[in-house]
Structures are given as C-alpha cells and as structure tokens.
Amino acid sequence: MGKQVTLASIEKAIDIVDNLDDDQLESLSEKYALAQQILLDYVASAATEYENEELEGLIIYYFCLINECFAQEGITFREITEADIDELEEPYFDMLDQYFEEENEEILESFCDQPELAQFMAMEVSTEDEDGTDMSEDTATQLFIVSLAMISLINRCIN
C-alpha cells in the first residue's frame, strides 16, 4: 500500500472546491490543467467518446476535486504521460470487466490502491446530490469509470 488519501483530506478538498466562486474554480482548474495536461485531455475526451455533454462538466469538477484530495493529503505525483495511460488501459478494462461481473468493490479498491477515494466516488455516483439532482445511470457509470482511471493513474505516478 502506497500513500493513501484519507477521508479527512477528501472532506477538506470538497469543502474547498465546493465553496469557490466561478473565477476561483476556473483558476484552480487551470492550475491543475497546467500541471496535468495529458491527464486532463484523457479524462475530458471520455465525454466526447461517450457523446455525453452532461459528463463534461462533471469530469472537470472531479478532475479538480481528485487533484485537490491528493494535495490536501500532501501527496505529490509526477506528470502523467501518454505512456502511463497506454500502460494502464488494458489491465484497467480487464479489472472493470471482472468488477461488473462480480460486483465486488475490493477489486476496484485494490486496483487503484486508494480505497477511500474509490468508495467516495462509488457513493458520489450512486446517491442524489443535496439539491436532489440525480445523474442518469449512463452518466453515473461513465463518470465512475473515468474517475477511477484518473485515481489509478495518479496513484501509479506518486513521487
């Protein structure tokens, strides 16, 4: 087990990101985008691939939030490259097939090696927002797949 993002850091990150105004959120996402351009392009391309506009905004939000979770924990990671992504894809999709077949969350948690973050994302996509908005099942599944890939990639690149 490498360095773990704790629930406390996740809660701190949510508190920060959710209380930013649009300008602050934009500058935060620019900061993380500059640091991780390839990762951002990769996760953002999912919205295009799935042809799902709803997903686009959600991905940007969780891109910022997940980066902030690692920052709150004091975990740094190197810039993620195309090679990192290529290396992850096959084992990742094999793991997903196994997960959807067995519906065992331990499979996910051990793969991305960030159990708290994996559980947090599982809850995020399965529960209604405080304002009662519920994402479609497709969007929830797609967001989950993309965000777990993001967490797994970051985890593999921790300094």
Side-chain angles (χ1 to χ4, degrees), residues 103-155:
E103 294 196 356
N104 177 350
E105 281 187 14
E106 279 175 22
I107 295 169
L108 296 174
E109 289 164 21
S110 69
F111 184 86
C112 69
D113 198 25
Q114 289 293 345
E116 293 287 354
L117 268 177
Q119 286 166 7
F120 164 70
M121 283 311 306
M123 277 177 51
E124 284 289 288
V125 299
S126 62
T127 52
E128 276 189 6
D129 270 358
E130 283 164 15
D131 60 7
T133 46
D134 208 357
M135 54 185 102
S136 72
E137 201 173 317
D138 282 351
T139 299
T141 304
Q142 293 161 3
L143 177 63
F144 190 60
I145 290 170
V146 174
S147 55
L148 270 188
M150 193 178 348
I151 294 164
S152 302
L153 277 164
I154 291 173
N155 194 62

Side-chain angles (χ1 to χ4, degrees), residues 9-75:
S9 291
I10 295 171
E11 286 169 352
K12 251 189 258 173
I14 294 167
D15 199 39
I16 290 168
V17 176
D18 284 359
N19 287 301
L20 298 176
D21 63 31
D22 289 349
D23 290 346
Q24 292 168 316
L25 191 59
E26 197 172 314
S27 82
L28 185 71
S29 58
E30 272 172 23
K31 177 182 117 176
Y32 288 130
L34 286 169
Q36 295 290 345
Q37 192 58 60
I38 291 168
L39 177 63
L40 178 59
D41 291 345
Y42 172 65
V43 294
S45 71
T48 316
E49 277 176 41
Y50 288 123
E51 295 177 1
N52 184 342
E53 276 179 32
E54 189 188 0
L55 193 59
E56 205 171 333
L58 289 165
I59 285 176
I60 303 299
Y61 171 79
Y62 285 103
F63 172 78
C64 290
L65 186 64
I66 289 166
N67 270 286
E68 190 61 38
C69 288
F70 281 95
Q72 286 301 319
E73 195 63 53
I75 297 175

Side-chain angles (χ1 to χ4, degrees), residues 67-94:
N67 270 286
E68 190 61 38
C69 288
F70 281 95
Q72 286 301 319
E73 195 63 53
I75 297 175
T76 58
F77 49 96
R78 64 172 173 76
E79 191 169 351
I80 288 158
T81 64
E82 295 284 354
D84 295 320
I85 292 167
D86 293 343
E87 219 172 274
L88 177 85
E89 287 206 303
E90 200 176 317
Y92 182 65
F93 286 106
D94 289 347

